[in-house]
Structure formats: C-alpha cells, structure tokens
Amino acid sequence: MGILEKMRLDGKTAFVTGGARGIGKSVAAALCEAGSNVAVVDVDYQEAEKTASELQTLGTGVIAVSCDVTDQDQVNQMVRTIVEHFGSLDVAFCNAGICTNYPAEEMTFEQWKKVIDVNLTGVFLTAQAAGKQMIQQGGGSIIATASMSAHIVNVPQPQCAYNASKAGVRQLVKSLAVEWAQKNVRVNSISPGYIGTDLVLSSPTLIPLIEQWKKVSPMGRIGRPDELQAVVVYLAGEASSFTTGSDFVVDGAFTSI
Ligand code: NDP
C-alpha cells in the first residue's frame, strides 16, 4: 500500500469531541475529506448540528451527538449511538477542553475542578468508552488534544489548572498506550501552540495578550486550526501503525526557545 493510500480513512468512523467549533470542527472536516464517517460531539448541540450539516457536503456520513464529556452516562451513550448508527468506532479525537485564567491563590475549588473535569477526566471518560469498543472490535486509534501547556508554563496569564490538566493528559495518553498496545489500540496526543479559535479569541483575558505572544513566537504569529488537520489524520490511520504513546507538538517553535 502506498503512503497516500495509508493516509486514507475510507470506511472508518470517527468521533470528535468539542467538534462543533475551533480545532475540533477543522479536524472533523479533515477526517471527512480523508474518507471517514464523523460524529460531531459537543455539549453545544445546536452548534454541533450546524457543523454536521456543513460537513455533510463533503460526502461521508456525518451526525451530531450531544454529550458533556464530564458525564460518564452521556459519554457511554454517545459511543453506543455512534456504533448503532455507523456500525463501528475506529478513531476517537478526544479534544473538548476549556481554559480559565485565575491566579492560583484566588482560585476556588469549583474553578479548579471544572477545568480538571473537562480537560482531564473528560479525556479519560471518552478514551475509556472508545477504548472498550475498539478492544472489542480488534483495534482503533485514539488521539487526545493536550497542549504546549503540558510542556511549559505560559506567561503572563495565570492558568495552573489548565497546565496541570494538560500535563495529566500527556501522561494519561502514555499510560493508555502501554496498557492497550497489545490490543491494537493506539493512543497519542497533539500539543498545539496558540491557535486562533474562540478559546483564545473570545477570552477577554487572552485577547490583549495575542500581540505579546506573537512577539516572542519564532514564527511571529499564532496558528490556524487547519494547521492541525494533517497530524490528526496521520495519527488516525494506517500510516501511523507503529506510533503510539507519542505527543506531537505543533506550535511554530514556541516551546523551542
Ligand atoms: P473552542 O472553545 O473553540 O472549542 C471547544 C469546544 O468544546 C466548544 O464547542 C465547547 O463548547 C466544547 N466543550 C467544552 N466543554 C465541553 C464538555 N464538557 N463536553 C463537550 N464539549 C465541550 O476551543 P479550541 O478548539 O481552541 O480547543 C480545542 C482543544 O484544543 C481544547 O482541549 C484546548 O484546550 C486545546 N488547545 C487549544 C489551544 C488554542 O490556542 N486554541 C492551544 C492548545 C490546546 P462550548 O463553547 O459550548 O463550551
């Protein structure tokens, strides 16, 4: 099989959490373009439905599924719905995440817990539900969205819960990769640098910092969601058959300096 053929995902089924917008939406489109059926999974069902109907024009099967990744019953139901609809689950992009910026000494327990629940527990619950189905089927590929914040402490904004949650994702991914290596379920993560999505562009704390980040970024800019598409498509399919437990930093060299 040639390399371009190995990058194809024809006949496969993927879910994308946080798929309604931002990085999730862009990657969902790429998975469709590579031939996969896609479930656009989001807590914002209205937006997920809008995204799903846009992606249906790409020619593969696309559905919207409402799911809060912090709720185990909803997560298990989400996987059941997808398997009932498409017959299998081959690729899981565990991507939903939130960012808050509170100084550590002022953060409430609830504020801490919310970020850990969505970013770390949410990835565990969705990866666990996907992993169970994939083990039963004989294999699959799970990709989680970590962050460059798994590797560095961003400045000047305070975000200790976010940074800790993403470092947790990185170690969770390595753990699952080792546990499931013999079961043909691969588990990897991507670690984006700053990307122009609502997570950044609708945060009153982060918007004024964008120019500062650009000044210290070797490429002098932030990234676009479409610049993460290829790495996820690669990780989803046969081209990455020996790649598991790995993390792919895509940050325009921000963390290299
Ligand atoms: P966006 O805010 O643009 O999109 C995230 C989506 O996830 C939203 O639709 C959001 O819904 C949804 N979501 C939030 N909470 C839940 C939940 N509990 N269950 C299901 N869906 C939920 O963010 P990005 O696309 O930028 O972020 C995607 C991922 O990439 C996140 O994990 C983020 O941490 C990570 N990342 C982002 C970077 C960036 O600079 N943008 C950099 C590095 C990593 P709603 O809007 O209704 O809350």
Side-chain angles (χ1 to χ4, degrees):
M1 200 192 288
I3 185 60
L4 291 181
E5 217 178 318
K6 285 184 187 171
M7 295 286 286
R8 294 290 310 170
L9 302 173
D10 301 289
K12 292 190 187 295
T13 294
F15 74 60
V16 177
T17 68
R21 55 171 65 76
I23 293 168
K25 179 177 178 177
S26 185
V27 165
L31 293 169
C32 290
E33 280 185 55
S36 183
N37 299 318
V38 171
V40 177
V41 177
D42 209 285
V43 73
D44 183 345
Y45 183 62
Q46 231 183 336
E47 200 59 30
E49 271 198 312
K50 258 171 51 188
T51 296
S53 61
E54 273 177 48
L55 298 186
Q56 272 155 11
T57 60
L58 294 170
T60 60
V62 185
I63 57 169
V65 183
S66 171
C67 175
D68 179 341
V69 297
T70 66
D71 181 320
Q72 189 170 30
D73 291 340
Q74 289 188 33
V75 169
N76 291 337
Q77 183 55 48
M78 175 267 286
V79 170
R80 275 197 298 274
T81 303
I82 293 165
V83 174
E84 272 165 29
H85 190 87
F86 290 117
S88 68
L89 175 67
D90 310 289
V91 177
F93 185 39
C94 306
N95 163 76
I98 57 171
C99 183
T100 57
N101 301 100
Y102 302 108
E105 72 278 18
E106 289 168 20
M107 189 183 298
T108 65
F109 176 61
E110 286 68 31
Q111 287 164 344
W112 164 267
K113 205 169 160 332
K114 172 86 182 155
V115 172
I116 301 295
D117 279 354
V118 177
N119 292 8
L120 181 54
T121 308
V123 169
F124 172 69
L125 292 176
T126 47
Q128 183 193 45
K132 270 190 204 167
Q133 174 64 28
M134 289 170 180
I135 289 167
Q136 199 183 310
Q137 273 174 214
S141 174
I142 298 173
I143 304 119
T145 305
S147 169
M148 68 171 169
S149 310
H151 304 268
I152 57 151
V153 174
N154 306 69
V155 288
Q157 69 275 23
Q159 50 181 52
C160 71
Y162 184 83
N163 298 344
S165 71
K166 294 299 185 178
V169 168
R170 176 71 200 106
Q171 189 67 353
L172 172 64
V173 158
K174 283 165 54 173
S175 306
L176 298 179
V178 171
E179 281 197 40
W180 294 342
Q182 299 280 330
K183 299 184 194 302
N184 199 29
V185 176
R186 297 181 297 103
V187 192
N188 294 287
S189 57
I190 60 167
S191 280
Y194 293 116
I195 306 292
T197 68
D198 286 352
L199 184 129
V200 171
L201 303 176
S202 63
S203 161
T205 313
L206 300 182
I207 293 165
L209 303 178
I210 295 174
E211 288 310 312
Q212 286 187 49
W213 299 336
K214 285 183 186 171
K215 279 196 194 111
V216 295
S217 171
M219 289 186 86
R221 66 176 178 89
I222 63 172
R224 301 184 310 270
D226 66 276
E227 292 177 303
L228 299 164
Q229 290 177 322
V231 68
V232 181
V233 171
Y234 159 71
L235 288 171
E238 198 44 36
S240 59
S241 52
F242 194 54
T243 306
T244 193
S246 297
D247 180 63
F248 290 74
V249 178
V250 182
D251 69 346
F254 194 93
T255 58
S256 297
I257 52 171

